[in-house]
Amino acid sequence: MSELILKAESLSACYGRVEALSDVSLQVARGEIVTVVGANGAGKSTLLQSILGAVSPKAGKLTFAGQDITRWPIYRRIEEGLVLVPEGRRILVSMTIEENLLLGAHMRRDKIAVRREIGGIYDRFPNLAQRRNHNASCLSGGEQQMLALGRALLAKPQLLMMDEPSLGLSPLFVQRLFELIQAYNREGLSILLIEQNTANALRIAHRATVLELGRVALEGDAASVAGSTGLQEAYLGGT
Ligand code: ATP
């Protein structure tokens, strides 16, 4: 395997007495798409929030780009290039499309490069370019997902984490979204993707982890996970 961008070792996390993650390990190599799938409540979002630092794991170790980030605050992880596109997109609808994009770059000082990259995002997303000075409330759910992706890219991710990005999108936007994820990956971006849309996620991912009740039920290259009979059991919660 090529150099690791992310290594999570034996993460465990609780909400009060509820153990949401138990001894979960995961690796992402540079240039890979890794997907995490599993039934509702399996612990997928908790895993991403633990990697981002919004949830404090009670045990485990996180290494990002060769550094031990286990005790780093969120802002330092983001500055280092560990960036999340959150579930539900969290677009600020009372701000313009361009202001939303600029939020992604607020920690950057290289303003000329930021302007150039915003131009690149507009080239890729003409729907955003045409309405750059309109409030983001004018966008459809699919367009808001593109905006959330653009905003995250402006934070210069070394690893882009996406929490259920296809949720609530029309089939056309789902297809476009998965094409975009693949296109950015081909340009070198490493991606950790959490998805309910298991079939599509396994189709574009290199490797996959199946979570079941907070534990790793299955992992391996995406094609063999997709072909495994255990996937159905794990995805249905193992009942
Ligand atoms: P979903 O697809 O429904 O978001 P998930 O796989 O992302 O599910 P998590 O949201 O990580 O799963 O939840 C894992 C477990 O932790 C569940 O039992 C859930 O009820 C519990 N949980 C999640 N967030 C909280 C919270 N803030 N407080 C208490 N329990 C929580």
Side-chain angles (χ1 to χ4, degrees), residues 90-200:
R90 311 261 174 91
I91 294 302
L92 298 180
V93 290
S94 60
M95 292 171 75
T96 67
I97 288 165
E98 184 138 324
E99 285 166 346
N100 269 278
L101 284 175
L102 284 166
L103 280 179
H106 78 277
M107 291 200 262
R108 291 176 58 182
R109 299 221 177 94
D110 50 345
K111 298 300 176 197
I112 293 169
V114 168
R115 275 287 147 204
R116 191 180 57 240
E117 288 167 36
I118 289 181
I121 287 165
Y122 285 150
D123 289 344
R124 209 152 209 169
F125 304 111
N127 287 359
L128 301 184
Q130 285 155 12
R131 286 174 285 170
R132 64 185 74 180
N133 295 319
H134 293 212
N135 275 8
S137 55
C138 71
L139 298 176
S140 70
E143 289 167 335
Q144 287 193 6
Q145 185 62 58
M146 304 305 160
L147 180 57
L149 176 57
R151 182 183 59 190
L153 291 170
L154 283 165
K156 272 197 165 254
Q158 291 201 64
L159 176 67
L160 185 70
M161 304 194 289
M162 304 182 85
D163 194 351
E164 311 226 350
S166 77
L167 202 64
L169 301 192
S170 69
L172 200 66
F173 265 113
V174 170
Q175 191 188 337
R176 170 104 176 95
L177 176 74
F178 281 95
E179 283 166 8
L180 274 167
I181 293 171
Q182 278 188 300
Y184 280 113
N185 173 253
R186 276 195 294 268
E187 290 168 18
L189 187 60
S190 312
I191 294 169
L192 180 57
L193 172 67
I194 280 193
E195 257 303 334
Q196 289 204 331
N197 194 330
T198 311
N200 268 324

Side-chain angles (χ1 to χ4, degrees), residues 15 18 20 38-47 87 164 196:
Y15 299 104
V18 177
N40 281 345
K44 305 181 299 294
S45 295
T46 304
L47 176 60
E87 184 175 354
E164 311 226 350
Q196 289 204 331

